[in-house]
Amino acid sequence: MAKKHEPPVPQDMMPKHIAIIMDGNGRWAKKRGMPRTYGHVQGALAFRKLLRYANDIGIKYISFYAFSTENWKRPDDEVHALMDLMRKYLKEAYDHFDLRTRFVLLGDEDGFESDLRQQFIDIQKDTDDFEKMTAGIAANYGSRHEITSAVKQIAQQVKSGALQLEDITEDLISQHLYTKDMPDVDLMIRPGGEQRISNFLLWQCAYAEFYFCDTLWPDFDSKELDKAIVEFAKRTRRFGGL
Ligand code: FPP
């Protein structure tokens, strides 16, 4: 399929892995006198558009924070609405195989109802061969939980003698995270006006550039993504060196 959009900066200056905290759905709806769940519906549409746009301009890895381990504390109707949106979009993903996008669940699949859990298992299996782009969907995700569970798995292997203490490297730890097949995050974007990381990809963001803006997530479109990428390209990354 012919490319519809040009990337905002030359390909070699583009971030390889973009992570996005999709914040501000509730406020977006409230401003319009609508229920919070309507904001999530609009937020999901923004997600769909942005995924296609990112694919179009050649982003290789993109991760979206859809539902945190803490979000279970929200009112039941909101949790249900978010789960139903995930069901809908995971089903719909089968209509978008032209994107050649591999979907990866970043999160603990055991927290979901069995049908949704199965949908996550299926989409990962059915898109596993796609190589144009990888989309991480962080759902039932918490970074501290992810790191804790990596530590437990590694400790278990040391205990059983399968690993020596000296075998524990940063790389080994990365290999035990949900993002094991993905590079570290280059650009972390948070719309919605808050400037915090909210337990999202803490390990993977060690050297990420951060981009915050006031736009609420349902209004975050391709132009907003371009702005973030242009800003990223202007920054000098030293990774601790000079
Ligand atoms: C944060 O905004 C957003 C969420 C907790 C949910 C994000 C989910 C979606 C965009 C839709 C479903 C996702 C997929 C992948 C289909 P908030 O509600 O906390 O906003 P607020 O800060 O204005 O209250």
Side-chain angles (χ1 to χ4, degrees), residues 22-28 36 40 43-44 47 65-67 71 74 78 82 85-86 89 137 217:
M22 304 187 285
D23 193 22
N25 296 345
R27 278 166 287 158
W28 187 95
R36 292 177 55 80
H40 294 315
F47 155 80
Y65 207 177
F67 194 87
N71 286 154
R74 292 194 177 194
E78 186 169 342
L82 284 166
L85 277 172
M86 283 193 258
Y89 280 84
I137 306 299
W217 172 250

PDB file of all heavy atoms in Angstrom, residues 22-28 36 40 43-44 47 65-67 71 74 78 82 85-86 89 137 217, ligand 1:
ATOM      1  N   MET A  22      -2.126   7.603  27.707  1.00  0.00           N
ATOM      2  CA  MET A  22      -3.328   8.194  27.088  1.00  0.00           C
ATOM      3  C   MET A  22      -4.192   8.849  28.173  1.00  0.00           C
ATOM      4  O   MET A  22      -5.200   8.302  28.589  1.00  0.00           O
ATOM      5  CB  MET A  22      -4.106   7.104  26.352  1.00  0.00           C
ATOM      6  CG  MET A  22      -3.269   6.372  25.303  1.00  0.00           C
ATOM      7  SD  MET A  22      -4.227   5.223  24.288  1.00  0.00           S
ATOM      8  CE  MET A  22      -4.485   3.862  25.399  1.00  0.00           C
ATOM      9  N   ASP A  23      -3.802  10.028  28.606  1.00  0.00           N
ATOM     10  CA  ASP A  23      -4.467  10.643  29.759  1.00  0.00           C
ATOM     11  C   ASP A  23      -5.404  11.782  29.348  1.00  0.00           C
ATOM     12  O   ASP A  23      -5.119  12.518  28.408  1.00  0.00           O
ATOM     13  CB  ASP A  23      -3.381  11.181  30.711  1.00  0.00           C
ATOM     14  CG  ASP A  23      -3.966  11.545  32.062  1.00  0.00           C
ATOM     15  OD1 ASP A  23      -5.038  11.026  32.423  1.00  0.00           O
ATOM     16  OD2 ASP A  23      -3.350  12.356  32.768  1.00  0.00           O
ATOM     17  N   GLY A  24      -6.482  11.914  30.085  1.00  0.00           N
ATOM     18  CA  GLY A  24      -7.369  13.068  29.913  1.00  0.00           C
ATOM     19  C   GLY A  24      -8.737  12.740  29.326  1.00  0.00           C
ATOM     20  O   GLY A  24      -9.524  13.653  29.060  1.00  0.00           O
ATOM     21  N   ASN A  25      -9.050  11.449  29.188  1.00  0.00           N
ATOM     22  CA  ASN A  25     -10.356  11.082  28.616  1.00  0.00           C
ATOM     23  C   ASN A  25     -11.513  11.578  29.475  1.00  0.00           C
ATOM     24  O   ASN A  25     -12.514  12.096  28.958  1.00  0.00           O
ATOM     25  CB  ASN A  25     -10.482   9.558  28.514  1.00  0.00           C
ATOM     26  CG  ASN A  25      -9.483   8.956  27.566  1.00  0.00           C
ATOM     27  OD1 ASN A  25      -8.875   9.659  26.765  1.00  0.00           O
ATOM     28  ND2 ASN A  25      -9.292   7.650  27.645  1.00  0.00           N
ATOM     29  N   GLY A  26     -11.369  11.389  30.785  1.00  0.00           N
ATOM     30  CA  GLY A  26     -12.443  11.765  31.709  1.00  0.00           C
ATOM     31  C   GLY A  26     -12.718  13.260  31.643  1.00  0.00           C
ATOM     32  O   GLY A  26     -13.869  13.695  31.543  1.00  0.00           O
ATOM     33  N   ARG A  27     -11.642  14.047  31.690  1.00  0.00           N
ATOM     34  CA  ARG A  27     -11.804  15.514  31.661  1.00  0.00           C
ATOM     35  C   ARG A  27     -12.382  15.973  30.327  1.00  0.00           C
ATOM     36  O   ARG A  27     -13.176  16.896  30.250  1.00  0.00           O
ATOM     37  CB  ARG A  27     -10.454  16.190  31.938  1.00  0.00           C
ATOM     38  CG  ARG A  27     -10.130  16.270  33.416  1.00  0.00           C
ATOM     39  CD  ARG A  27      -8.697  16.618  33.643  1.00  0.00           C
ATOM     40  NE  ARG A  27      -7.828  15.494  33.339  1.00  0.00           N
ATOM     41  CZ  ARG A  27      -6.539  15.599  33.051  1.00  0.00           C
ATOM     42  NH1 ARG A  27      -5.977  16.778  32.998  1.00  0.00           N
ATOM     43  NH2 ARG A  27      -5.820  14.524  32.800  1.00  0.00           N
ATOM     44  N   TRP A  28     -11.956  15.318  29.256  1.00  0.00           N
ATOM     45  CA  TRP A  28     -12.451  15.656  27.920  1.00  0.00           C
ATOM     46  C   TRP A  28     -13.980  15.514  27.893  1.00  0.00           C
ATOM     47  O   TRP A  28     -14.701  16.380  27.381  1.00  0.00           O
ATOM     48  CB  TRP A  28     -11.793  14.733  26.885  1.00  0.00           C
ATOM     49  CG  TRP A  28     -12.079  15.070  25.457  1.00  0.00           C
ATOM     50  CD1 TRP A  28     -11.308  15.823  24.626  1.00  0.00           C
ATOM     51  CD2 TRP A  28     -13.211  14.637  24.682  1.00  0.00           C
ATOM     52  NE1 TRP A  28     -11.886  15.892  23.379  1.00  0.00           N
ATOM     53  CE2 TRP A  28     -13.060  15.180  23.381  1.00  0.00           C
ATOM     54  CE3 TRP A  28     -14.334  13.854  24.939  1.00  0.00           C
ATOM     55  CZ2 TRP A  28     -13.971  14.955  22.359  1.00  0.00           C
ATOM     56  CZ3 TRP A  28     -15.256  13.647  23.925  1.00  0.00           C
ATOM     57  CH2 TRP A  28     -15.070  14.202  22.653  1.00  0.00           C
ATOM     58  N   ARG A  36     -17.772   9.977  31.805  1.00  0.00           N
ATOM     59  CA  ARG A  36     -16.355   9.649  31.592  1.00  0.00           C
ATOM     60  C   ARG A  36     -16.187   8.551  30.541  1.00  0.00           C
ATOM     61  O   ARG A  36     -15.234   8.561  29.755  1.00  0.00           O
ATOM     62  CB  ARG A  36     -15.730   9.169  32.910  1.00  0.00           C
ATOM     63  CG  ARG A  36     -15.611  10.236  33.979  1.00  0.00           C
ATOM     64  CD  ARG A  36     -15.041   9.627  35.258  1.00  0.00           C
ATOM     65  NE  ARG A  36     -13.782   8.952  35.007  1.00  0.00           N
ATOM     66  CZ  ARG A  36     -12.608   9.585  34.897  1.00  0.00           C
ATOM     67  NH1 ARG A  36     -12.545  10.891  35.036  1.00  0.00           N
ATOM     68  NH2 ARG A  36     -11.519   8.904  34.656  1.00  0.00           N
ATOM     69  N   HIS A  40     -13.645   7.775  27.145  1.00  0.00           N
ATOM     70  CA  HIS A  40     -12.834   6.594  26.792  1.00  0.00           C
ATOM     71  C   HIS A  40     -13.149   6.119  25.364  1.00  0.00           C
ATOM     72  O   HIS A  40     -12.260   5.674  24.642  1.00  0.00           O
ATOM     73  CB  HIS A  40     -13.062   5.472  27.800  1.00  0.00           C
ATOM     74  CG  HIS A  40     -12.577   5.799  29.178  1.00  0.00           C
ATOM     75  ND1 HIS A  40     -11.346   6.378  29.410  1.00  0.00           N
ATOM     76  CD2 HIS A  40     -13.152   5.648  30.409  1.00  0.00           C
ATOM     77  CE1 HIS A  40     -11.176   6.558  30.721  1.00  0.00           C
ATOM     78  NE2 HIS A  40     -12.263   6.138  31.337  1.00  0.00           N
ATOM     79  N   GLY A  43     -11.335   8.363  23.293  1.00  0.00           N
ATOM     80  CA  GLY A  43      -9.908   8.067  23.469  1.00  0.00           C
ATOM     81  C   GLY A  43      -9.492   6.852  22.656  1.00  0.00           C
ATOM     82  O   GLY A  43      -8.395   6.805  22.079  1.00  0.00           O
ATOM     83  N   ALA A  44     -10.382   5.881  22.588  1.00  0.00           N
ATOM     84  CA  ALA A  44     -10.076   4.675  21.813  1.00  0.00           C
ATOM     85  C   ALA A  44     -10.020   5.008  20.313  1.00  0.00           C
ATOM     86  O   ALA A  44      -9.197   4.455  19.574  1.00  0.00           O
ATOM     87  CB  ALA A  44     -11.121   3.596  22.092  1.00  0.00           C
ATOM     88  N   PHE A  47      -6.731   6.473  19.738  1.00  0.00           N
ATOM     89  CA  PHE A  47      -5.746   5.383  19.736  1.00  0.00           C
ATOM     90  C   PHE A  47      -5.686   4.732  18.347  1.00  0.00           C
ATOM     91  O   PHE A  47      -4.621   4.537  17.776  1.00  0.00           O
ATOM     92  CB  PHE A  47      -6.138   4.357  20.818  1.00  0.00           C
ATOM     93  CG  PHE A  47      -5.650   2.966  20.580  1.00  0.00           C
ATOM     94  CD1 PHE A  47      -4.336   2.621  20.881  1.00  0.00           C
ATOM     95  CD2 PHE A  47      -6.495   1.997  20.054  1.00  0.00           C
ATOM     96  CE1 PHE A  47      -3.875   1.322  20.648  1.00  0.00           C
ATOM     97  CE2 PHE A  47      -6.051   0.705  19.817  1.00  0.00           C
ATOM     98  CZ  PHE A  47      -4.737   0.372  20.115  1.00  0.00           C
ATOM     99  N   TYR A  65      -0.484   3.038  27.079  1.00  0.00           N
ATOM    100  CA  TYR A  65      -0.936   2.671  28.433  1.00  0.00           C
ATOM    101  C   TYR A  65      -2.461   2.699  28.425  1.00  0.00           C
ATOM    102  O   TYR A  65      -3.082   3.761  28.451  1.00  0.00           O
ATOM    103  CB  TYR A  65      -0.403   3.712  29.418  1.00  0.00           C
ATOM    104  CG  TYR A  65      -0.194   3.231  30.836  1.00  0.00           C
ATOM    105  CD1 TYR A  65       0.345   4.097  31.792  1.00  0.00           C
ATOM    106  CD2 TYR A  65      -0.501   1.942  31.248  1.00  0.00           C
ATOM    107  CE1 TYR A  65       0.577   3.688  33.098  1.00  0.00           C
ATOM    108  CE2 TYR A  65      -0.272   1.521  32.551  1.00  0.00           C
ATOM    109  CZ  TYR A  65       0.259   2.403  33.466  1.00  0.00           C
ATOM    110  OH  TYR A  65       0.495   2.003  34.763  1.00  0.00           O
ATOM    111  N   ALA A  66      -3.081   1.523  28.368  1.00  0.00           N
ATOM    112  CA  ALA A  66      -4.540   1.463  28.257  1.00  0.00           C
ATOM    113  C   ALA A  66      -5.226   1.246  29.610  1.00  0.00           C
ATOM    114  O   ALA A  66      -6.334   1.725  29.823  1.00  0.00           O
ATOM    115  CB  ALA A  66      -4.938   0.340  27.300  1.00  0.00           C
ATOM    116  N   PHE A  67      -4.552   0.505  30.514  1.00  0.00           N
ATOM    117  CA  PHE A  67      -5.210   0.185  31.796  1.00  0.00           C
ATOM    118  C   PHE A  67      -4.145  -0.262  32.792  1.00  0.00           C
ATOM    119  O   PHE A  67      -3.428  -1.236  32.548  1.00  0.00           O
ATOM    120  CB  PHE A  67      -6.229  -0.942  31.574  1.00  0.00           C
ATOM    121  CG  PHE A  67      -7.188  -1.125  32.705  1.00  0.00           C
ATOM    122  CD1 PHE A  67      -8.369  -0.389  32.772  1.00  0.00           C
ATOM    123  CD2 PHE A  67      -6.920  -2.037  33.726  1.00  0.00           C
ATOM    124  CE1 PHE A  67      -9.255  -0.559  33.827  1.00  0.00           C
ATOM    125  CE2 PHE A  67      -7.803  -2.210  34.783  1.00  0.00           C
ATOM    126  CZ  PHE A  67      -8.984  -1.474  34.830  1.00  0.00           C
ATOM    127  N   ASN A  71      -5.959   0.901  37.982  1.00  0.00           N
ATOM    128  CA  ASN A  71      -7.247   1.324  37.408  1.00  0.00           C
ATOM    129  C   ASN A  71      -8.421   0.418  37.818  1.00  0.00           C
ATOM    130  O   ASN A  71      -9.585   0.801  37.667  1.00  0.00           O
ATOM    131  CB  ASN A  71      -7.181   1.398  35.878  1.00  0.00           C
ATOM    132  CG  ASN A  71      -6.394   2.587  35.354  1.00  0.00           C
ATOM    133  OD1 ASN A  71      -5.846   2.554  34.260  1.00  0.00           O
ATOM    134  ND2 ASN A  71      -6.325   3.657  36.131  1.00  0.00           N
ATOM    135  N   ARG A  74     -11.243   1.917  39.942  1.00  0.00           N
ATOM    136  CA  ARG A  74     -12.269   2.851  39.426  1.00  0.00           C
ATOM    137  C   ARG A  74     -13.659   2.219  39.540  1.00  0.00           C
ATOM    138  O   ARG A  74     -13.781   1.007  39.688  1.00  0.00           O
ATOM    139  CB  ARG A  74     -11.949   3.185  37.968  1.00  0.00           C
ATOM    140  CG  ARG A  74     -10.667   4.002  37.881  1.00  0.00           C
ATOM    141  CD  ARG A  74     -10.487   4.626  36.531  1.00  0.00           C
ATOM    142  NE  ARG A  74      -9.296   5.451  36.546  1.00  0.00           N
ATOM    143  CZ  ARG A  74      -8.989   6.346  35.632  1.00  0.00           C
ATOM    144  NH1 ARG A  74      -9.789   6.538  34.602  1.00  0.00           N
ATOM    145  NH2 ARG A  74      -7.886   7.059  35.723  1.00  0.00           N
ATOM    146  N   GLU A  78     -17.081   2.059  34.877  1.00  0.00           N
ATOM    147  CA  GLU A  78     -15.958   2.559  34.070  1.00  0.00           C
ATOM    148  C   GLU A  78     -15.009   1.406  33.699  1.00  0.00           C
ATOM    149  O   GLU A  78     -14.548   1.307  32.556  1.00  0.00           O
ATOM    150  CB  GLU A  78     -15.214   3.667  34.823  1.00  0.00           C
ATOM    151  CG  GLU A  78     -14.149   4.309  33.967  1.00  0.00           C
ATOM    152  CD  GLU A  78     -13.555   5.589  34.564  1.00  0.00           C
ATOM    153  OE1 GLU A  78     -14.169   6.184  35.469  1.00  0.00           O
ATOM    154  OE2 GLU A  78     -12.460   5.972  34.099  1.00  0.00           O
ATOM    155  N   LEU A  82     -14.171   0.101  29.900  1.00  0.00           N
ATOM    156  CA  LEU A  82     -12.812  -0.010  29.352  1.00  0.00           C
ATOM    157  C   LEU A  82     -12.535  -1.432  28.856  1.00  0.00           C
ATOM    158  O   LEU A  82     -11.909  -1.631  27.805  1.00  0.00           O
ATOM    159  CB  LEU A  82     -11.782   0.414  30.409  1.00  0.00           C
ATOM    160  CG  LEU A  82     -11.695   1.933  30.607  1.00  0.00           C
ATOM    161  CD1 LEU A  82     -10.941   2.279  31.885  1.00  0.00           C
ATOM    162  CD2 LEU A  82     -11.022   2.594  29.402  1.00  0.00           C
ATOM    163  N   LEU A  85     -14.258  -1.878  25.597  1.00  0.00           N
ATOM    164  CA  LEU A  85     -13.530  -1.210  24.505  1.00  0.00           C
ATOM    165  C   LEU A  85     -12.360  -2.070  24.046  1.00  0.00           C
ATOM    166  O   LEU A  85     -12.087  -2.187  22.850  1.00  0.00           O
ATOM    167  CB  LEU A  85     -13.016   0.152  24.971  1.00  0.00           C
ATOM    168  CG  LEU A  85     -14.010   1.301  24.899  1.00  0.00           C
ATOM    169  CD1 LEU A  85     -13.429   2.537  25.566  1.00  0.00           C
ATOM    170  CD2 LEU A  85     -14.365   1.606  23.433  1.00  0.00           C
ATOM    171  N   MET A  86     -11.671  -2.682  25.004  1.00  0.00           N
ATOM    172  CA  MET A  86     -10.549  -3.551  24.615  1.00  0.00           C
ATOM    173  C   MET A  86     -11.050  -4.741  23.791  1.00  0.00           C
ATOM    174  O   MET A  86     -10.462  -5.089  22.779  1.00  0.00           O
ATOM    175  CB  MET A  86      -9.760  -3.988  25.850  1.00  0.00           C
ATOM    176  CG  MET A  86      -8.859  -2.875  26.347  1.00  0.00           C
ATOM    177  SD  MET A  86      -7.663  -3.422  27.539  1.00  0.00           S
ATOM    178  CE  MET A  86      -8.401  -2.878  29.040  1.00  0.00           C
ATOM    179  N   TYR A  89     -11.808  -3.464  20.272  1.00  0.00           N
ATOM    180  CA  TYR A  89     -10.647  -3.117  19.438  1.00  0.00           C
ATOM    181  C   TYR A  89      -9.756  -4.321  19.151  1.00  0.00           C
ATOM    182  O   TYR A  89      -9.118  -4.381  18.091  1.00  0.00           O
ATOM    183  CB  TYR A  89      -9.873  -1.942  20.057  1.00  0.00           C
ATOM    184  CG  TYR A  89     -10.577  -0.642  19.718  1.00  0.00           C
ATOM    185  CD1 TYR A  89     -11.646  -0.185  20.471  1.00  0.00           C
ATOM    186  CD2 TYR A  89     -10.216   0.080  18.594  1.00  0.00           C
ATOM    187  CE1 TYR A  89     -12.329   0.973  20.143  1.00  0.00           C
ATOM    188  CE2 TYR A  89     -10.883   1.247  18.246  1.00  0.00           C
ATOM    189  CZ  TYR A  89     -11.941   1.692  19.028  1.00  0.00           C
ATOM    190  OH  TYR A  89     -12.610   2.833  18.673  1.00  0.00           O
ATOM    191  N   ILE A 137       0.401  -3.109  24.010  1.00  0.00           N
ATOM    192  CA  ILE A 137      -0.816  -2.626  24.668  1.00  0.00           C
ATOM    193  C   ILE A 137      -0.650  -2.925  26.154  1.00  0.00           C
ATOM    194  O   ILE A 137      -0.679  -4.095  26.569  1.00  0.00           O
ATOM    195  CB  ILE A 137      -2.084  -3.334  24.120  1.00  0.00           C
ATOM    196  CG1 ILE A 137      -2.165  -3.228  22.589  1.00  0.00           C
ATOM    197  CG2 ILE A 137      -3.335  -2.777  24.804  1.00  0.00           C
ATOM    198  CD1 ILE A 137      -2.245  -1.820  22.049  1.00  0.00           C
ATOM    199  N   TRP A 217      -6.216  13.523  25.784  1.00  0.00           N
ATOM    200  CA  TRP A 217      -5.932  12.421  24.862  1.00  0.00           C
ATOM    201  C   TRP A 217      -6.888  12.327  23.651  1.00  0.00           C
ATOM    202  O   TRP A 217      -6.419  12.160  22.519  1.00  0.00           O
ATOM    203  CB  TRP A 217      -5.862  11.070  25.601  1.00  0.00           C
ATOM    204  CG  TRP A 217      -5.762   9.939  24.641  1.00  0.00           C
ATOM    205  CD1 TRP A 217      -6.705   9.009  24.366  1.00  0.00           C
ATOM    206  CD2 TRP A 217      -4.647   9.664  23.746  1.00  0.00           C
ATOM    207  NE1 TRP A 217      -6.269   8.161  23.376  1.00  0.00           N
ATOM    208  CE2 TRP A 217      -5.018   8.544  22.978  1.00  0.00           C
ATOM    209  CE3 TRP A 217      -3.402  10.267  23.522  1.00  0.00           C
ATOM    210  CZ2 TRP A 217      -4.182   7.991  22.003  1.00  0.00           C
ATOM    211  CZ3 TRP A 217      -2.565   9.726  22.542  1.00  0.00           C
ATOM    212  CH2 TRP A 217      -2.956   8.606  21.806  1.00  0.00           C
TER     213      TRP A 217
HETATM  214  C1  FPP B   1      -6.647   7.919  31.381  1.00  0.00           C
HETATM  215  O1  FPP B   1      -7.551   9.010  31.293  1.00  0.00           O
HETATM  216  C2  FPP B   1      -7.069   6.891  30.479  1.00  0.00           C
HETATM  217  C3  FPP B   1      -7.348   5.601  30.814  1.00  0.00           C
HETATM  218  C4  FPP B   1      -7.272   5.106  32.212  1.00  0.00           C
HETATM  219  C5  FPP B   1      -7.797   4.627  29.811  1.00  0.00           C
HETATM  220  C6  FPP B   1      -7.178   4.718  28.449  1.00  0.00           C
HETATM  221  C7  FPP B   1      -7.998   3.897  27.531  1.00  0.00           C
HETATM  222  C8  FPP B   1      -8.366   4.218  26.274  1.00  0.00           C
HETATM  223  C9  FPP B   1      -7.869   5.412  25.554  1.00  0.00           C
HETATM  224  C10 FPP B   1      -9.334   3.391  25.506  1.00  0.00           C
HETATM  225  C11 FPP B   1      -9.145   1.909  25.446  1.00  0.00           C
HETATM  226  C12 FPP B   1      -7.859   1.478  24.892  1.00  0.00           C
HETATM  227  C13 FPP B   1      -7.689   0.638  23.854  1.00  0.00           C
HETATM  228  C14 FPP B   1      -6.314   0.143  23.579  1.00  0.00           C
HETATM  229  C15 FPP B   1      -8.774   0.194  23.002  1.00  0.00           C
HETATM  230  P1  FPP B   1      -8.448   9.394  32.544  1.00  0.00           P
HETATM  231  O2  FPP B   1      -9.745   8.736  32.436  1.00  0.00           O
HETATM  232  O3  FPP B   1      -7.685   9.094  33.801  1.00  0.00           O
HETATM  233  O4  FPP B   1      -8.601  10.915  32.310  1.00  0.00           O
HETATM  234  P2  FPP B   1      -8.766  12.047  33.425  1.00  0.00           P
HETATM  235  O5  FPP B   1      -7.387  12.263  33.985  1.00  0.00           O
HETATM  236  O6  FPP B   1      -9.250  13.204  32.615  1.00  0.00           O
HETATM  237  O7  FPP B   1      -9.750  11.570  34.437  1.00  0.00           O
END
